[in-house]
Every structure is written in C-alpha cells, then in structure tokens.
Amino acid sequence: MSLDVRAPLLLFLISLSSRLGLSRHIEDMEASDGLYSLLSLDQKRDSEDFIFRRPLRCLDMLATDGYFSFVASRPQLACAAFIIAEPSEVISLELFDINIDCSAGDFIKMFDGWVLKGEKFPSSQDHQLPMHQRYTDYCSSPSSGGSSRSSQNVAMIFFRIQSADSGFTLAVKKLHNPFPCNIMSQSPEGSFTMVMPHQRRNCSFSIIYPVEIRLTEIGLGQAKSNELSPQVRQRQVWSGCSGSGDYVELLGGNGVDTSKMFPVADLCFSLNGLAQMKIGCDNSVLRLVSSGNYINRVSFQYRLLEHNELPKTRENSLDNFCSVE
C-alpha cells in the first residue's frame, strides 16, 4: 500500500496517541507491523470471504472489521481499545469465547463513544442516550451484555482480566448510517455534509487537529438565503445564535467534550458561498444544533493548518483562546 493511502489514519493515530500518552505504544505497533497490517485491510476487504483476525492488545486502536482476541499472559488491570469507523458508519461489537471471572473482579464493558482523559465524546448534551445507558457491562448481564451498537462512528471497550490464560474475542462490524451524527474524523482534511431531518438533537463533527474550516453551504429551516459580502458576513458570524434553536457553531478546545470547549463562532442564517475560520486548537469542532422543526444541513471543507498559519492568543479578538507555542 502506498504511504498516501494510509497516511491519514496513521497521522490520526499519532495525534490521538499524544493526547492519551500512547506514543510509545504506537511506536511498538509500527515496529511489529501491526499498525500497517491494520491499515492495509482496505485492499483485502474486496474479498467477501476474507475475515481479518489478529490479537487484541491491552491498549489498542481498531479501524477495520474483524475478530480480535485477547488472552492475558499476566494480570491486566486497566485495558482499553478504541474503535473508529468511517463518518457514515456505526459500529457493532460482539463478544465471543469469553473466559473471565466476574466474581474475582474481572470485567468487560463497552461504551457508546470514547472516553479520553475523563472527557466523553459525544458529550451528554449531544448524545441521545443518558450516560448510564451508553455502557454495556458483560458481568452485570451476561445474557445481554455481550453485544453493543454505537450511535456514531466511534466506540470503545474497557476490560480487566486478572488471571493468566483468561480472555475473550471481540467481533467488530461496521454498519451504514444514513444520517451520521457526532463524528470523529480520522483525517485532518476532507469535506462533509451533515443533515438533520426533523429531529431535535445536536450533531458535532470533531477533528483532532488545528484546522481551517470552510463552510460552503448552510440550510437552516425556513431561513432565507443570505448572499453577504465578507464584511457583513463576518459581523453576522459573531452574533449570538443560541436563541434561534437552529444554528451552526464552531468550537475549539484541547479536550473532546464539546460542552467544555470554547465557542469560536455561530451562524443562524442560511448561506450559499464561503465563510471560513481557522481554529488553532488540539480539537476543532463543527456543531449543528437543531430544534426538530426543520430539515437542517451544513456542508463544509477542512484542512490542516500549516505551522505558520497557527493563530496566536487573542487573534480574532478572542481572550484566552487556544494558545499556540
């Protein structure tokens, strides 16, 4: 496989690893060729008969369908695997060949989303389920706790296994999602259209890089299209929109919980044309807030900022914005 094909996911893994303190783990994956074999799976998925299998590590990232088996060689008290799919997919997880001792403190839990340094994605404000329903605990209910389905393109599994030779197999399968909502992007550049049809919910598109986001089209309910000059559009972008019920919000921050991120801009009018913003944070988010009364949509493009483009503190007249060293 050529480097340009696997580079976006590799860059994503390295970027994520720096936030998790997993840099050494990613290096070990590269050295063992585990990461590159994972990235080359797209070539093999054309074959319907091909089933990918590999060992599951105590700390792991999964980005393809397959079967991943964990067998403890020593007590493993704090393990986790992060699973990510394409933006237009959700993730089905199922446990097989389970050999753990729940009564001795072993556990396997699946989570609808990601937990990074104590912050959860999607946040409780953006996810439709209450937090306790987003966890699936095998030990609490072995008959029904062996499977889970995510609401977005990320999911994860936590496990603790204290006895050698104990373990389980995790089956990962990606499923099509006709209306993607709350997305973690694998790539620092790309384009996407988010649509929310008559549902009262918030949808975020999270990019774990400092990026420039270009809004190419916004359709918010019955609002009239505004063809604005750049000067007028800039003033409109910075006006408060939270009371409108339907708006697009740009956020920046160094975590993944959108409720704790800094509001960069909001827009509550329909737009045909370009509006753009540079967000120099570890995490850049576009968030579509919908009242449920309309069919809302937003189309945008995004690209990684070059080092000399990274905004400094107080640029754009914002106090305490994500500072760049």
Coordinates of all heavy atoms in Angstrom, one line a residue, residues 57-120:
R57 N -4.5 -6.0 21.8 CA -3.6 -5.6 22.7 C -4.3 -5.0 23.9 O -5.5 -4.6 23.8 CB -2.6 -4.6 22.1 CG -1.9 -5.1 20.9 CD -1.1 -4.0 20.2 NE -0.3 -4.5 19.1 CZ -0.8 -4.7 17.9 NH1 -2.0 -4.3 17.6 NH2 0.0 -5.1 16.9
C58 N -3.6 -4.9 25.1 CA -4.2 -4.3 26.3 C -4.6 -2.8 26.0 O -5.6 -2.3 26.6 CB -3.3 -4.4 27.4 SG -3.9 -3.6 29.0
L59 N -3.9 -2.1 25.2 CA -4.2 -0.8 24.7 C -4.1 -0.8 23.2 O -3.1 -1.0 22.6 CB -3.2 0.2 25.3 CG -3.6 1.7 25.6 CD1 -4.9 1.7 26.3 CD2 -2.5 2.4 26.3
D60 N -5.3 -0.5 22.6 CA -5.3 -0.8 21.1 C -6.2 0.2 20.4 O -7.1 0.9 21.0 CB -5.8 -2.2 20.9 CG -5.1 -2.9 19.7 OD1 -4.7 -2.1 18.8 OD2 -5.1 -4.1 19.7
M61 N -6.0 0.3 19.1 CA -6.9 1.1 18.2 C -7.3 0.2 17.1 O -6.5 -0.5 16.4 CB -6.1 2.3 17.7 CG -6.8 3.0 16.5 SD -8.3 3.9 17.0 CE -7.6 5.4 17.6
L62 N -8.6 0.1 16.9 CA -9.2 -0.8 15.8 C -9.9 0.1 14.8 O -10.7 0.9 15.2 CB -10.1 -1.8 16.4 CG -9.6 -2.7 17.6 CD1 -10.7 -3.6 18.1 CD2 -8.4 -3.4 17.2
A63 N -9.6 -0.2 13.5 CA -10.2 0.6 12.5 C -10.7 -0.2 11.3 O -10.9 0.3 10.2 CB -9.2 1.7 12.0
T64 N -11.0 -1.5 11.6 CA -11.5 -2.3 10.5 C -12.3 -3.4 11.1 O -12.3 -3.7 12.3 CB -10.3 -2.9 9.7 OG1 -10.8 -3.6 8.5 CG2 -9.5 -3.9 10.5
D65 N -13.2 -4.0 10.2 CA -14.0 -5.2 10.7 C -13.0 -6.3 11.0 O -11.9 -6.5 10.4 CB -14.9 -5.6 9.5 CG -16.0 -4.6 9.3 OD1 -16.1 -3.6 10.0 OD2 -16.8 -4.9 8.4
G66 N -13.4 -7.2 11.9 CA -12.6 -8.4 12.1 C -12.9 -9.0 13.5 O -13.8 -8.6 14.2
Y67 N -12.1 -10.0 13.8 CA -12.1 -10.7 15.1 C -10.8 -10.4 15.8 O -9.7 -10.7 15.3 CB -12.4 -12.2 14.9 CG -13.7 -12.5 14.4 CD1 -14.1 -12.4 13.1 CD2 -14.8 -12.8 15.3 CE1 -15.3 -12.7 12.6 CE2 -16.0 -13.1 14.9 CZ -16.3 -13.1 13.5 OH -17.6 -13.3 13.1
F68 N -10.9 -9.9 17.1 CA -9.7 -9.5 17.8 C -9.7 -10.3 19.2 O -10.6 -10.1 20.0 CB -9.7 -8.0 18.0 CG -9.8 -7.3 16.7 CD1 -11.0 -7.0 16.2 CD2 -8.7 -6.9 16.0 CE1 -11.2 -6.3 15.0 CE2 -8.8 -6.2 14.8 CZ -10.0 -5.9 14.3
S69 N -8.7 -11.1 19.4 CA -8.7 -12.0 20.6 C -7.7 -11.5 21.6 O -6.5 -11.3 21.2 CB -8.4 -13.4 20.1 OG -9.4 -13.9 19.2
F70 N -8.1 -11.5 22.8 CA -7.2 -11.1 23.9 C -7.1 -12.3 24.9 O -8.0 -12.9 25.3 CB -7.7 -9.9 24.7 CG -6.8 -9.5 25.8 CD1 -5.8 -8.6 25.5 CD2 -7.0 -10.0 27.1 CE1 -4.9 -8.2 26.5 CE2 -6.1 -9.6 28.1 CZ -5.1 -8.7 27.8
V71 N -5.8 -12.7 25.1 CA -5.5 -13.7 26.1 C -4.5 -13.1 27.1 O -3.4 -12.7 26.6 CB -5.0 -15.0 25.5 CG1 -4.6 -16.0 26.6 CG2 -6.0 -15.6 24.5
A72 N -4.8 -13.1 28.3 CA -3.9 -12.4 29.3 C -2.7 -13.4 29.6 O -2.8 -14.5 29.9 CB -4.6 -12.1 30.6
S73 N -1.5 -12.8 29.5 CA -0.3 -13.5 29.9 C 0.1 -13.2 31.3 O 0.9 -13.9 32.0 CB 0.9 -13.1 29.0 OG 1.1 -11.7 29.0
R74 N -0.5 -12.2 31.9 CA -0.3 -11.7 33.3 C -1.5 -10.9 33.7 O -2.3 -10.5 32.8 CB 1.0 -11.0 33.4 CG 1.0 -9.7 32.7 CD 2.4 -8.9 32.8 NE 2.4 -7.6 32.2 CZ 2.6 -7.4 30.9 NH1 2.8 -8.4 30.1 NH2 2.6 -6.2 30.4
P75 N -1.7 -10.5 34.9 CA -2.8 -9.7 35.3 C -2.8 -8.4 34.5 O -1.8 -7.7 34.4 CB -2.6 -9.4 36.8 CG -1.9 -10.6 37.2 CD -0.9 -11.0 36.1
Q76 N -3.9 -8.0 33.9 CA -4.1 -6.8 33.2 C -5.2 -6.0 33.8 O -6.4 -6.4 33.7 CB -4.4 -7.1 31.7 CG -3.3 -7.8 30.9 CD -2.1 -6.9 30.6 OE1 -2.0 -5.7 31.0 NE2 -1.1 -7.5 29.9
L77 N -4.9 -5.0 34.5 CA -5.9 -4.3 35.4 C -6.6 -3.1 34.7 O -7.6 -2.7 35.2 CB -5.2 -3.8 36.7 CG -4.5 -4.9 37.5 CD1 -4.0 -4.4 38.8 CD2 -5.5 -6.1 37.8
A78 N -6.0 -2.6 33.7 CA -6.6 -1.4 33.0 C -6.3 -1.4 31.6 O -5.4 -0.8 31.1 CB -6.1 -0.1 33.7
C79 N -7.2 -2.0 30.8 CA -7.1 -2.1 29.3 C -8.2 -1.4 28.6 O -9.3 -1.3 29.1 CB -7.0 -3.6 28.9 SG -5.6 -4.5 29.6
A80 N -7.9 -1.0 27.4 CA -9.0 -0.3 26.6 C -8.6 -0.4 25.1 O -7.4 -0.4 24.8 CB -9.1 1.2 27.0
A81 N -9.6 -0.5 24.3 CA -9.5 -0.5 22.9 C -10.4 0.6 22.3 O -11.6 0.6 22.6 CB -9.8 -1.9 22.3
F82 N -9.9 1.4 21.5 CA -10.7 2.5 20.8 C -11.0 2.0 19.4 O -10.1 1.6 18.6 CB -9.9 3.8 20.7 CG -9.5 4.4 22.0 CD1 -8.4 3.9 22.8 CD2 -10.3 5.4 22.6 CE1 -8.1 4.5 24.0 CE2 -10.0 5.9 23.8 CZ -8.9 5.5 24.5
I83 N -12.3 2.0 19.0 CA -12.7 1.6 17.7 C -13.2 2.8 16.9 O -14.0 3.6 17.5 CB -13.8 0.5 17.8 CG1 -13.3 -0.7 18.7 CG2 -14.2 0.0 16.4 CD1 -13.8 -0.7 20.1
I84 N -12.8 2.9 15.7 CA -13.3 4.0 14.8 C -13.7 3.5 13.5 O -13.0 2.6 12.9 CB -12.2 5.1 14.7 CG1 -12.8 6.4 14.0 CG2 -10.9 4.6 14.1 CD1 -11.9 7.6 14.2
A85 N -14.7 4.1 12.9 CA -15.2 3.7 11.6 C -15.2 5.0 10.7 O -14.8 6.1 11.1 CB -16.6 3.1 11.6
E86 N -15.7 4.8 9.5 CA -15.8 6.0 8.6 C -17.0 6.9 9.1 O -17.8 6.4 9.9 CB -16.1 5.5 7.2 CG -15.0 4.8 6.5 CD -13.7 5.6 6.4 OE1 -13.8 6.8 6.1 OE2 -12.7 5.0 6.6
P87 N -17.0 8.2 8.7 CA -18.0 9.1 9.3 C -19.5 8.6 9.0 O -20.3 8.8 9.9 CB -17.8 10.4 8.5 CG -16.3 10.3 8.2 CD -16.0 8.9 7.9
S88 N -19.7 7.9 7.9 CA -21.1 7.4 7.6 C -21.4 6.0 8.1 O -22.2 5.3 7.6 CB -21.3 7.5 6.1 OG -20.4 6.7 5.4
E89 N -20.6 5.6 9.1 CA -20.8 4.2 9.7 C -21.0 4.3 11.2 O -20.6 5.2 11.9 CB -19.6 3.3 9.3 CG -19.4 3.1 7.9 CD -18.1 2.3 7.6 OE1 -17.1 2.5 8.3 OE2 -18.1 1.5 6.6
V90 N -21.7 3.3 11.7 CA -21.7 3.0 13.1 C -21.1 1.6 13.4 O -20.7 0.9 12.4 CB -23.2 3.0 13.7 CG1 -23.8 4.4 13.6 CG2 -24.1 2.0 13.0
I91 N -20.9 1.2 14.6 CA -20.1 0.1 14.9 C -20.8 -0.9 15.8 O -21.5 -0.6 16.8 CB -18.8 0.5 15.7 CG1 -18.0 1.5 14.9 CG2 -18.0 -0.7 16.1 CD1 -17.0 2.3 15.7
S92 N -20.8 -2.2 15.3 CA -21.4 -3.3 16.1 C -20.3 -4.0 16.8 O -19.3 -4.4 16.1 CB -22.2 -4.2 15.1 OG -22.6 -5.4 15.8
L93 N -20.4 -4.3 18.1 CA -19.5 -5.0 18.8 C -20.1 -6.3 19.4 O -21.3 -6.2 19.9 CB -18.9 -4.2 20.0 CG -18.2 -2.8 19.6 CD1 -17.8 -2.1 20.9 CD2 -17.0 -3.1 18.7
E94 N -19.5 -7.4 19.4 CA -20.0 -8.6 20.0 C -18.9 -9.4 20.6 O -17.8 -9.6 20.0 CB -20.7 -9.4 18.9 CG -21.5 -10.6 19.5 CD -22.5 -11.2 18.5 OE1 -22.6 -10.7 17.3 OE2 -23.2 -12.1 18.9
L95 N -19.1 -10.0 21.8 CA -18.1 -10.8 22.5 C -18.3 -12.3 22.3 O -19.5 -12.7 22.3 CB -18.2 -10.5 24.0 CG -17.9 -9.0 24.4 CD1 -18.2 -8.8 25.9 CD2 -16.5 -8.6 24.0
F96 N -17.2 -13.0 22.1 CA -17.3 -14.4 21.9 C -16.2 -15.1 22.8 O -15.3 -14.4 23.2 CB -17.0 -14.8 20.4 CG -18.1 -14.4 19.5 CD1 -17.9 -13.2 18.7 CD2 -19.2 -15.2 19.3 CE1 -18.9 -12.8 17.8 CE2 -20.2 -14.8 18.4 CZ -20.0 -13.6 17.7
D97 N -16.3 -16.4 23.0 CA -15.3 -17.1 23.7 C -14.8 -16.4 25.0 O -13.6 -16.3 25.2 CB -14.1 -17.4 22.8 CG -14.5 -18.1 21.5 OD1 -15.4 -18.9 21.5 OD2 -13.9 -17.8 20.4
I98 N -15.8 -16.0 25.8 CA -15.5 -15.3 27.0 C -15.1 -16.2 28.1 O -15.8 -17.1 28.5 CB -16.7 -14.4 27.4 CG1 -17.2 -13.5 26.3 CG2 -16.4 -13.6 28.6 CD1 -18.5 -12.9 26.5
N99 N -13.9 -16.0 28.6 CA -13.4 -16.8 29.7 C -12.8 -15.8 30.8 O -11.6 -15.6 30.8 CB -12.3 -17.7 29.2 CG -11.6 -18.5 30.4 OD1 -12.2 -18.7 31.4 ND2 -10.4 -18.9 30.2
I100 N -13.6 -15.2 31.6 CA -13.2 -14.3 32.7 C -14.0 -14.7 33.9 O -15.0 -15.4 33.9 CB -13.4 -12.8 32.3 CG1 -14.9 -12.5 32.2 CG2 -12.7 -12.5 31.0 CD1 -15.2 -11.0 32.0
D101 N -13.5 -14.2 35.1 CA -14.1 -14.5 36.4 C -14.6 -13.2 36.9 O -13.9 -12.4 37.6 CB -13.1 -15.1 37.3 CG -13.7 -15.6 38.6 OD1 -14.9 -15.3 38.9 OD2 -13.0 -16.2 39.4
C102 N -15.9 -12.9 36.7 CA -16.5 -11.7 37.1 C -16.5 -11.6 38.7 O -16.4 -10.5 39.2 CB -18.0 -11.5 36.6 SG -18.1 -11.4 34.8
S103 N -16.7 -12.7 39.3 CA -16.7 -12.7 40.8 C -15.4 -12.3 41.4 O -15.3 -11.9 42.6 CB -17.2 -14.1 41.3 OG -16.2 -15.1 41.0
A104 N -14.3 -12.5 40.7 CA -13.0 -12.1 41.2 C -12.6 -10.7 40.8 O -11.4 -10.3 41.1 CB -12.0 -13.1 40.6
G105 N -13.4 -10.0 40.2 CA -13.1 -8.6 39.8 C -12.8 -8.4 38.3 O -12.6 -7.2 37.9
D106 N -12.9 -9.4 37.5 CA -12.7 -9.2 36.1 C -13.9 -8.5 35.5 O -15.0 -8.6 36.1 CB -12.6 -10.5 35.4 CG -11.3 -11.3 35.7 OD1 -10.4 -10.7 36.4 OD2 -11.1 -12.4 35.2
F107 N -13.8 -7.7 34.4 CA -14.9 -7.1 33.8 C -14.6 -6.8 32.3 O -13.4 -6.7 31.9 CB -15.4 -5.9 34.5 CG -14.4 -4.7 34.5 CD1 -14.3 -3.9 33.3 CD2 -13.7 -4.4 35.6 CE1 -13.4 -2.9 33.3 CE2 -12.8 -3.3 35.6 CZ -12.7 -2.5 34.4
I108 N -15.7 -6.7 31.5 CA -15.6 -6.2 30.2 C -16.8 -5.3 30.0 O -17.9 -5.7 30.2 CB -15.7 -7.4 29.1 CG1 -14.7 -8.5 29.4 CG2 -15.6 -6.8 27.7 CD1 -14.9 -9.7 28.5
K109 N -16.5 -4.0 29.6 CA -17.5 -3.0 29.4 C -17.3 -2.4 28.1 O -16.2 -2.1 27.7 CB -17.5 -2.0 30.5 CG -17.7 -2.5 31.9 CD -17.6 -1.4 33.0 CE -17.9 -1.9 34.4 NZ -17.8 -0.8 35.4
M110 N -18.4 -2.2 27.4 CA -18.4 -1.5 26.1 C -19.1 -0.1 26.3 O -20.0 0.0 27.1 CB -19.1 -2.3 25.0 CG -18.4 -3.6 24.7 SD -19.3 -4.7 23.6 CE -20.3 -5.5 24.7
F111 N -18.6 0.9 25.6 CA -19.1 2.2 25.7 C -19.4 2.8 24.4 O -18.7 2.7 23.4 CB -18.0 3.1 26.4 CG -18.5 4.5 26.6 CD1 -19.5 4.8 27.5 CD2 -17.9 5.6 25.9 CE1 -19.9 6.1 27.7 CE2 -18.4 6.9 26.1 CZ -19.4 7.2 27.0
D112 N -20.6 3.5 24.3 CA -21.1 4.1 23.1 C -20.4 5.5 23.0 O -21.0 6.5 23.4 CB -22.6 4.2 23.2 CG -23.2 4.8 21.9 OD1 -22.5 5.0 20.9 OD2 -24.5 4.9 21.9
G113 N -19.2 5.5 22.4 CA -18.5 6.7 22.3 C -17.0 6.5 22.7 O -16.6 5.3 22.7
W114 N -16.3 7.6 23.0 CA -14.9 7.5 23.5 C -14.8 8.2 24.8 O -15.5 9.2 25.1 CB -14.0 8.1 22.5 CG -13.5 7.2 21.4 CD1 -13.9 5.9 21.2 CD2 -12.6 7.5 20.4 NE1 -13.3 5.4 20.1 CE2 -12.5 6.3 19.6 CE3 -11.8 8.6 20.1 CZ2 -11.6 6.3 18.5 CZ3 -11.0 8.6 19.0 CH2 -10.9 7.4 18.2
V115 N -13.9 7.7 25.7 CA -13.6 8.4 26.9 C -12.1 8.7 26.8 O -11.2 7.8 26.7 CB -13.8 7.6 28.2 CG1 -13.4 8.4 29.4 CG2 -15.3 7.2 28.2
L116 N -11.7 10.0 26.8 CA -10.3 10.5 26.7 C -10.0 11.4 27.9 O -10.6 12.5 28.0 CB -10.1 11.2 25.4 CG -10.3 10.4 24.1 CD1 -10.2 11.3 22.9 CD2 -9.3 9.2 24.0
K117 N -9.1 11.0 28.7 CA -8.7 11.8 29.9 C -9.9 12.3 30.7 O -10.0 13.4 31.1 CB -7.8 12.9 29.4 CG -6.5 12.5 28.8 CD -5.6 13.7 28.5 CE -4.2 13.2 28.0 NZ -3.3 14.3 27.7
G118 N -10.9 11.4 30.9 CA -12.0 11.7 31.7 C -13.1 12.4 31.0 O -14.2 12.6 31.5
E119 N -12.9 12.9 29.7 CA -13.9 13.5 28.9 C -14.6 12.5 28.0 O -13.9 11.7 27.5 CB -13.4 14.7 28.2 CG -12.9 15.8 29.1 CD -12.6 17.1 28.3 OE1 -12.8 17.2 27.1 OE2 -12.1 18.1 29.0
K120 N -15.8 12.7 27.7 CA -16.6 11.8 26.9 C -17.0 12.4 25.6 O -17.4 13.6 25.5 CB -17.8 11.2 27.6 CG -17.4 10.4 28.9 CD -18.7 10.0 29.6 CE -18.3 9.1 30.8 NZ -17.5 9.9 31.8

